Amino acid sequence: MGPAWGEKRIAVVTGAGRGIGLSTAEALAEAGATVAVLDRDEEAGRSAAGKIGAGARFFSVDMAEPADIERCVAEVVAEFGTVDILVNNVGVLSTTTISDLTEDEWNRVIGINLTSAVFASKCVIPHMKKAGWGRIVTISSMAGRMGGLTTGVAYSVSKAALLGLTMNLARNLASENITVNAVAPGPTRTELFDGFTHEQVRRLEDSIPLKRLGKPRNVADTVVFLASDAAEFITGATVDVNGGSFIG
Ligand SMILES: NC(=O)c1ccc[n+]([C@@H]2O[C@H](COP(=O)([O-])OP(=O)(O)OC[C@H]3O[C@@H](n4cnc5c(N)ncnc54)[C@H](O)[C@@H]3O)[C@@H](O)[C@H]2O)c1
């Protein structure tokens, strides 16, 4: 495959300090984009930007605060001139079931997983409209497609709602040449699984038709494709990256 874009693209990846976000930021940079690494963890964010190279820069932000997102996107635009690609990746896992759910836990998970993507999108859209080109790719989850195996209620709801956001924005922004798509990963090998025993991981892998956990790069490569010129006619779609764990 040739370069992903005919011209230089500026990409913002939220929660890019580690895991799927870091892998996505690396893959976008390898494909030729200049990447803004957004994270609340300064140490992880700075080291990620250094590792990525290619002009990548770290921007500190609390994605749970819409006002802070607005401030941060303005900083990115001041530094790089615009935003062409937004990857809504930031997210926290929650396993709390409905019986144990508190209002605080609901608001925390919905804030970081869902509200962040709504307001990050709102902040970048004017720049994409001005340029007449844009890509928004949002990381949902298999849990948003089928209710979740072990994930809690707020997590599954937030991830399903991101698919609603994707469909709504895709319809609203198509006339502006902005495409909006989602990626729904199944279990993917990030630090999330560090606490799992060897036996727990083996059982999980055994339940996946392709017999392994996903690699962050499997998700990252899908994001790069959806953000590339090659995906110009795809909008409003959800791409499952789950080894066949959920097919439907
Ligand atoms: N790992 C999986 O198995 C899996 C499966 C399906 C979906 N996902 C989704 O993929 C995305 C990335 O997951 P991951 O496993 O790489 O996560 P991770 O926990 O490894 O990384 C998340 C990053 O987001 C940052 N972050 C968290 N809250 C923040 C906030 N309020 N403001 C700014 N930054 C914040 C963290 O500092 C961290 O660097 C999430 O949306 C997750 O729900 C993951």
Side-chain angles (χ1 to χ4, degrees):
M1 229 205 275
W5 304 280
E7 54 193 275
K8 194 80 200 161
R9 297 298 180 192
I10 307 298
V12 166
V13 184
T14 70
R18 61 174 66 83
I20 291 171
L22 171 56
S23 187
T24 300
E26 285 173 329
L28 285 164
E30 283 168 30
T34 303
V35 181
V37 170
L38 271 57
D39 211 288
R40 71 176 165 194
D41 181 337
E42 303 238 349
E43 208 182 306
R46 266 182 224 297
S47 120
K51 198 171 156 211
I52 295 162
R57 267 210 50 191
F58 167 62
F59 296 85
S60 179
V61 64
D62 182 357
M63 293 299 296
E65 298 292 337
D68 205 37
I69 297 173
E70 197 178 334
R71 176 210 46 86
C72 182
V73 170
E75 258 182 47
V76 173
V77 171
E79 174 75 20
F80 291 137
T82 191
V83 176
D84 301 303
I85 297 162
L86 169 67
V87 184
N88 287 312
N89 164 78
V90 76
V92 283
L93 182 65
S94 168
T95 54
T96 311
T97 58
I98 187 84
S99 347
D100 294 329
L101 187 68
T102 61
E103 203 177 333
D104 279 354
E105 178 66 353
W106 172 261
N107 288 336
R108 182 182 79 90
V109 176
I110 294 295
I112 298 178
N113 292 8
L114 176 61
T115 313
S116 68
V118 174
F119 286 94
S121 302
K122 185 180 175 191
C123 290
V124 300
I125 286 165
H127 302 287
M128 295 177 175
K129 281 187 176 172
K130 204 165 137 201
W133 193 96
R135 298 277 192 268
I136 298 175
V137 184
T138 296
I139 309 299
S140 170
S141 167
M142 193 168 95
R145 302 268 286 146
M146 42 68 84
L149 297 170
T150 53
T151 54
V153 59
Y155 185 84
S156 297
V157 170
S158 70
K159 293 298 181 177
L162 287 172
L163 303 181
L165 174 69
T166 299
M167 292 189 281
N168 179 273
L169 296 187
R171 286 191 186 278
N172 271 281
L173 299 170
S175 61
E176 308 279 352
N177 197 30
I178 300 168
T179 69
V180 188
N181 292 289
V183 178
T188 306
R189 189 115 210 189
T190 63
E191 284 171 33
L192 196 81
F193 288 97
D194 285 358
F196 280 47
T197 64
H198 188 71
E199 183 52 26
Q200 282 173 320
V201 173
R202 200 195 55 77
R203 249 185 284 135
L204 184 58
E205 284 180 331
D206 221 38
S207 72
I208 299 170
L210 282 172
K211 298 291 173 212
R212 64 169 179 82
L213 297 178
K215 302 171 192 152
R217 189 66 189 219
N218 297 143
V219 180
D221 287 342
T222 310
V223 174
V224 173
F225 169 66
L226 290 170
S228 74
D229 287 342
E232 65 183 6
F233 205 52
I234 303 175
T235 196
T238 299
V239 180
D240 292 308
V241 182
N242 63 26
S245 296
F246 169 73
I247 298 175

